[in-house]
Amino acid sequence: MASKDRILRQKEETRNNILGAAYDIVKEEGWNGLSMRKIADKIEYTAPIIYEYFSNKEAILEELTGKGFVKLTKELQSAIDKFEKPEDQLEAMWMTYWDFAFTNTEMYQLMFGVQMTCCAQRCSAQEGPYKLFTQVIAEVMKDSNPSQDIIKQKYFTFFSVIHGLIAINIINKSDILETINAQILKDAIGGIIKSIQ
Amino acid sequence: MASKDRILRQKEETRNNILGAAYDIVKEEGWNGLSMRKIADKIEYTAPIIYEYFSNKEAILEELTGKGFVKLTKELQSAIDKFEKPEDQLEAMWMTYWDFAFTNTEMYQLMFGVQMTCCAQRCSAQEGPYKLFTQVIAEVMKDSNPSQDIIKQKYFTFFSVIHGLIAINIINKSDILETINAQILKDAIGGIIKSIQ
DNA sequence: TACATTTGCCTAACAGTGTTAAACGATTTA
DNA sequence: TAAATCGTTTAACACTGTTAGGCAAATGTA
């Protein structure tokens, strides 16, 4: 019975339709706008049938995450293939990584847990730490008479390393060895301070 | 009438109780576990009265965020006060920042939008990029015969800078100048590659 | 003291969420 | 032809944030 095959193919297709619809909604309305009923609407079914393809909403998210990692991996591989020297490869890889994050921002958010909650308040409240840091950085750099932009840049360099490291630790829940954390922290802070003196 | 004062004080108190209850729930159940009715339960009221103190749930989150930034700012200030040389101050500040993130993890998550969605799937799927990166890093470092731990450390250093930078950009929605981004990216990638060669 | 007004708080409800159980018609199997 | 299975829907449950209405006690006014 070849109809079995066709039915299986159809099942696979609606499965993909669910994932596609989900991601479409997310691109339009963000992760908070995603709901089972909206997915159902988009694929012209009612909500419960989704549960015949995915055990729950999180399973959909997990599968999308998986697809995201596969896509990222492929792009990284093709970045490798473009160069011969490993140094060039590495640089191309991180540039590819950077591009991936901004051409698939929603996907990146899901994969690495980047969320935006409220911004208006934050932008002003954030000024406290920002001011303190930039003041001290300016003091460290006072011999080279840096511009405000340079100070800002140095601040963000610090911030990137340390926030990045914190984020990995929170997401991976201390999967990383404590010694590695300490080493990176010490290296990064010491290194940047030295570079700006 | 002195009773007016007392009533005002009581109002201020329940306002704080709401914020306190909210944060207590979050520490127990995470940000997803927070609901208006649970807050109401904890302060022994019903949900609607919360709306006499806060216009909506997000307003509570915003106020908590604000308190978080105030607390962080204070701790940073006292880190500054402990040292004289700006280099030492800067180091102490980032160490304080690091500590703040892990003694107030939930708060940090709210302040800087760090979310964890699903982990089981991710940890395995994440291996794709991880393997590619560490392979190339190992190749770059092959002359110094590095251990697996060293390679892992270098990978996380890269990852921290770049993920951190991406996260800031996503959260602040391109508040940062493009030139600063490019500069940091170039500096970071180039710098780390040079340091591992 | 008597009435009117404000205050504090609650119940009930609306619209939305994820998820499950029951049902029903169509299709496949025996 | 009868039985079983499949695909799908409707209805419901227990939640979510949020709003409207009402009730009773406290307060203000005469």
Side-chain angles (χ1 to χ4, degrees), chain A residues 122-136:
Chain A
R122 174 180 301 142
C123 293
S124 60
Q126 213 171 11
E127 272 178 24
Y130 176 75
K131 273 189 184 167
L132 289 183
F133 275 118
T134 48
Q135 273 169 19
V136 178

Side-chain angles (χ1 to χ4, degrees), chain B:
Chain B
M1 296 230 176
S3 70
K4 283 256 161 132
D5 283 14
R6 192 206 55 212
I7 284 172
L8 238 74
R9 238 181 305 122
Q10 270 181 358
K11 276 214 158 195
E12 193 57 33
E13 200 188 318
T14 58
R15 213 188 128 86
N16 281 327
N17 284 347
I18 292 172
L19 292 171
Y23 195 49
D24 283 349
I25 293 165
V26 166
K27 277 191 286 190
E28 286 164 22
E29 308 181 42
W31 288 107
N32 288 343
L34 180 66
S35 86
M36 300 301 258
R37 284 176 177 83
K38 279 186 200 163
I39 297 174
D41 259 29
K42 206 143 210 167
I43 61 169
E44 291 179 304
Y45 277 112
T46 50
I49 58 109
I50 302 178
Y51 291 88
E52 306 211 340
Y53 297 88
F54 298 91
S55 60
N56 51 33
K57 190 182 177 183
E58 202 179 320
I60 300 177
L61 263 40
E62 273 180 28
E63 186 127 343
L64 280 174
T65 311
K67 274 183 184 266
F69 275 109
V70 170
K71 192 181 178 201
L72 174 58
T73 305
K74 273 185 194 157
E75 291 184 18
L76 289 175
Q77 184 59 58
S78 76
I80 293 178
D81 296 342
K82 284 206 191 85
F83 295 90
E84 293 248 314
K85 286 207 301 186
E87 290 84 356
D88 297 338
Q89 290 175 334
L90 199 51
E91 189 183 329
M93 285 171 84
W94 284 115
M95 285 300 184
T96 301
Y97 187 93
W98 175 266
D99 284 342
F100 178 89
F102 290 103
T103 54
N104 311 282
T105 310
E106 295 84 11
M107 189 60 93
Y108 190 88
Q109 285 183 68
L110 179 61
M111 291 161 68
F112 297 99
V114 184
Q115 190 186 33
M116 16 176 194
T117 345
C118 40
C119 194
Q121 169 79 6
R122 174 182 300 142
C123 293
S124 60
Q126 214 171 9
E127 274 178 22
Y130 175 76
K131 272 188 185 169
L132 290 183
F133 275 118
T134 47
Q135 274 169 20
V136 177
I137 291 172
E139 193 60 34
V140 175
M141 299 179 77
K142 68 171 184 287
D143 289 347
S144 58
N145 229 30
S147 70
Q148 206 58 40
D149 267 11
I150 291 285
I151 293 169
K152 199 173 181 179
Q153 185 204 311
K154 296 302 176 188
Y155 167 71
F156 280 118
T157 307
F158 269 117
F159 189 96
S160 296
V161 191
I162 287 152
H163 172 74
L165 200 55
I166 290 169
I168 305 168
N169 275 278
I170 290 178
I171 290 168
N172 283 14
K173 268 258 170 135
S174 74
D175 174 32
I176 303 160
L177 294 172
E178 208 51 53
T179 55
I180 290 187
N181 275 332
Q183 194 64 37
I184 296 175
L185 249 188
K186 203 186 129 219
D187 278 11
I189 296 176
I192 304 174
I193 290 180
K194 244 179 211 160
S195 84
I196 66 179
Q197 269 171 328

Side-chain angles (χ1 to χ4, degrees), chain A residues 5-196:
Chain A
D5 282 14
R6 192 204 56 211
I7 285 171
L8 240 75
R9 237 180 305 122
Q10 270 181 359
K11 277 213 158 192
E12 193 59 32
E13 199 187 319
T14 58
R15 212 187 127 86
N16 281 329
N17 284 347
I18 292 172
L19 292 171
Y23 195 49
D24 283 348
I25 293 165
V26 166
K27 276 189 288 190
E28 287 163 22
E29 308 181 41
W31 289 107
N32 288 342
L34 181 64
S35 85
M36 299 301 259
R37 284 176 178 83
K38 280 187 200 161
I39 297 174
D41 258 29
K42 205 144 211 168
I43 61 169
E44 293 179 302
Y45 276 111
T46 49
I49 57 109
I50 301 178
Y51 291 87
E52 306 216 338
Y53 297 87
F54 298 92
S55 61
N56 51 32
K57 190 182 179 182
E58 201 180 321
I60 300 176
L61 264 40
E62 273 180 29
E63 186 125 343
L64 279 174
T65 310
K67 275 183 184 270
F69 276 109
V70 170
K71 193 182 178 199
L72 175 58
T73 306
K74 272 184 194 159
E75 291 185 16
L76 289 174
Q77 183 60 57
S78 77
I80 294 178
D81 296 342
K82 283 205 190 86
F83 294 90
E84 294 248 312
K85 286 205 303 186
E87 290 85 357
D88 298 337
Q89 289 176 335
L90 199 51
E91 188 184 329
M93 286 170 85
W94 285 115
M95 285 302 183
T96 302
Y97 187 92
W98 174 267
D99 285 341
F100 178 89
F102 291 103
T103 53
N104 311 283
T105 310
E106 295 83 12
M107 188 60 93
Y108 190 87
Q109 287 183 71
L110 178 62
M111 289 161 70
F112 297 99
V114 184
Q115 191 186 30
M116 14 176 197
T117 345
C118 38
C119 195
Q121 168 79 4
R122 174 180 301 142
C123 293
S124 60
Q126 213 171 11
E127 272 178 24
Y130 176 75
K131 273 189 184 167
L132 289 183
F133 275 118
T134 48
Q135 273 169 19
V136 178
I137 291 173
E139 193 60 34
V140 174
M141 297 179 78
K142 68 171 183 291
D143 289 346
S144 59
N145 228 30
S147 70
Q148 207 57 39
D149 267 11
I150 291 285
I151 292 169
K152 199 172 181 181
Q153 186 204 311
K154 295 303 176 187
Y155 167 72
F156 280 119
T157 308
F158 269 117
F159 188 95
S160 296
V161 191
I162 287 151
H163 172 75
L165 199 56
I166 289 169
I168 305 167
N169 275 278
I170 289 178
I171 290 168
N172 282 14
K173 269 258 170 133
S174 74
D175 174 29
I176 302 160
L177 295 172
E178 208 50 52
T179 54
I180 289 186
N181 276 331
Q183 193 66 36
I184 297 175
L185 250 187
K186 204 185 127 224
D187 279 11
I189 295 176
I192 303 176
I193 291 180
K194 243 180 214 160
S195 83
I196 66 179

